[in-house]
């Protein structure tokens, strides 16, 4: 009996130590994502251009997935910790809350609130905002999606005209200080498929133009840039070229 209690104490100590490490790791990854692997709009201000940031070969979105998996592991250990201390928790709980009805009410409230916090993020509709910053609440995105699609096609048209002028030698650099494709909204966190869907171009044609295997169209552009050595301007130019030849 004594050995059994001693073994249980060691297991509890090991679980507590692992939970401490996981908690510290979650906090550290949160700091990494928040302050080091900053989002695109902050990268432009900090690094002076559209760059991709990696740590150990992973970008901020992938580290976010690692953070989620660690959270699941921490949650599992929390539940295991509660199971192993169930008798002690029950004893203390009965001393703190007198009466069966109040105890039942407290347990139900804690269970409902915990379940709400766990499930609610999967059920909500996010606020959708165009690039200009105006938001639409409540998940009604029909008009916005149509507007975004029209804006994407307008950007393509403007870029096509600028490219045609540039090739014809009619473009005056002083009148066009920005690159012909600078207004196309493409970020390294997007996948090739997402870009093709946004600008209505063929994924096969785009991957071929960039010399990327067609099977990698679901990969993030930032990782593909690093692996295959193309620039964002080349990607934008390829999109305009494909649109012009359609």
């Amino acid at each position: 009996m004594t050995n059994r209690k001693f073994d249980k104490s060691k297991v509890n100590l090991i679980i507590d130590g692992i939970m401490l490490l996981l908690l510290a790791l979650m906090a550290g990854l949160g700091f990494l994502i928040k302050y080091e692997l900053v989002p695109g709009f902050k990268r432009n201000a900090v690094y002076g251009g559209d760059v991709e940031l990696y740590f150990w070969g992973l970008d901020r979105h992938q580290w976010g997935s690692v953070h989620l998996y660690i959270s699941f592991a921490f949650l599992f250990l929390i539940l295991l910790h509660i199971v192993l201390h169930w008798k002690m928790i029950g004893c203390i709980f009965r001393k703190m809350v007198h009466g069966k009805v109040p105890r039942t009410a407290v347990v139900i409230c804690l269970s409902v609130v915990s379940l709400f916090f766990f499930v609610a993020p999967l059920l909500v509709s996010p606020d959708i905002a165009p690039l200009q910053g105006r938001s639409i609440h409540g998940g009604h995105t029909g008009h916005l999606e149509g507007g975004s699609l029209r804006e994407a096609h307008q950007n393509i048209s403007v870029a096509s005209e600028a490219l045609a002028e540039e090739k014809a030698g009619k473009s005056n650099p002083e009148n066009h200080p920005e690159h012909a494709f600078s207004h196309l909204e493409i970020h390294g966190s997007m996948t090739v498929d997402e870009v093709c869907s946004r600008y209505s171009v063929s994924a096969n044609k785009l991957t071929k133009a960039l010399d990327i295997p067609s099977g990698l169209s679901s990969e993030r552009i930032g990782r593909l840039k690093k692996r295959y050595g193309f620039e964002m301007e080349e990607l934008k130019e390829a999109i305009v070229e494909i649109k012009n030849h359609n």
Side-chain angles (χ1 to χ4, degrees):
M1 192 71 175
T2 304
N3 291 335
R4 184 177 171 184
K5 288 185 177 179
F6 179 75
D7 292 341
K8 185 176 178 180
S9 299
K10 288 200 300 185
V11 171
N12 288 331
L13 181 61
I14 292 172
I15 291 175
D16 290 345
I18 296 175
M19 287 171 57
L20 176 62
L21 293 177
L22 290 179
L23 185 61
L25 185 55
M26 284 193 294
L29 289 181
F31 295 146
L32 175 69
I33 295 170
K34 174 70 175 178
Y35 298 109
E36 299 299 331
L37 302 179
V38 293
F41 69 94
K42 287 187 178 180
R43 291 178 216 157
N44 292 333
V46 175
Y47 297 97
D50 187 11
V51 298
E52 294 299 325
L53 301 178
Y54 297 91
F55 180 68
W56 287 354
L58 302 179
D59 61 18
R60 72 189 313 268
H61 300 282
Q62 292 165 319
W63 278 115
S65 298
V66 173
H67 189 276
L68 178 64
Y69 300 146
I70 294 174
S71 301
F72 287 148
F74 184 80
L75 180 61
F76 171 76
L77 290 179
I78 283 285
L79 295 175
L80 183 59
H81 187 274
I82 292 174
V83 170
L84 294 175
H85 292 80
W86 186 251
K87 289 184 179 180
M88 182 186 71
I89 293 172
C91 182
I92 297 174
F93 183 56
R94 283 190 293 272
K95 291 182 179 179
M96 291 180 61
V97 183
H98 301 286
K100 186 175 181 180
V101 174
R103 285 199 296 268
T104 302
V106 171
V107 170
I108 291 175
C109 289
L110 284 175
S111 301
V112 170
V113 172
S114 299
L115 183 63
F116 173 78
F117 286 155
F118 189 77
V119 177
L122 302 176
L123 303 177
V124 299
S125 297
D127 294 345
I128 310 296
L131 295 175
Q132 288 80 3
R134 295 189 303 173
S135 63
I136 295 178
H137 300 278
H140 302 291
T141 61
H143 296 294
L144 179 62
E145 290 176 354
S148 297
L149 186 59
R150 286 193 296 273
E151 181 183 346
H153 286 297
Q154 289 172 358
N155 288 342
I156 284 287
S157 299
V158 172
S160 299
E161 293 174 3
L163 181 62
E165 289 182 2
E166 187 177 301
K167 289 185 175 181
K170 298 177 181 179
S171 179
N172 187 344
E174 295 180 358
N175 296 331
H176 299 277
E178 296 182 341
H179 196 279
F181 322 109
S182 60
H183 52 277
L184 297 185
E185 295 294 338
I186 301 175
H187 306 286
S189 59
M190 300 171 67
T191 66
V192 174
D193 288 333
E194 289 172 345
V195 172
C196 292
S197 176
R198 178 182 177 90
Y199 293 109
S200 301
V201 297
S202 167
N204 288 333
K205 291 182 179 179
L206 185 57
T207 52
K208 184 177 180 180
L210 297 173
D211 198 21
I212 300 172
S214 59
L216 298 180
S217 60
S218 60
E219 288 276 345
R220 296 187 186 278
I221 291 172
R223 292 183 64 84
L224 294 175
K225 281 176 57 182
K226 184 178 180 182
R227 190 182 308 172
Y228 293 96
F230 63 88
E231 298 297 330
M232 194 66 79
E233 294 301 321
E234 296 178 65
L235 171 61
K236 295 177 180 181
E237 183 175 358
I239 291 173
V240 176
E241 290 280 5
I242 292 170
K243 294 291 289 185
N244 286 340
H245 287 87
N246 284 344

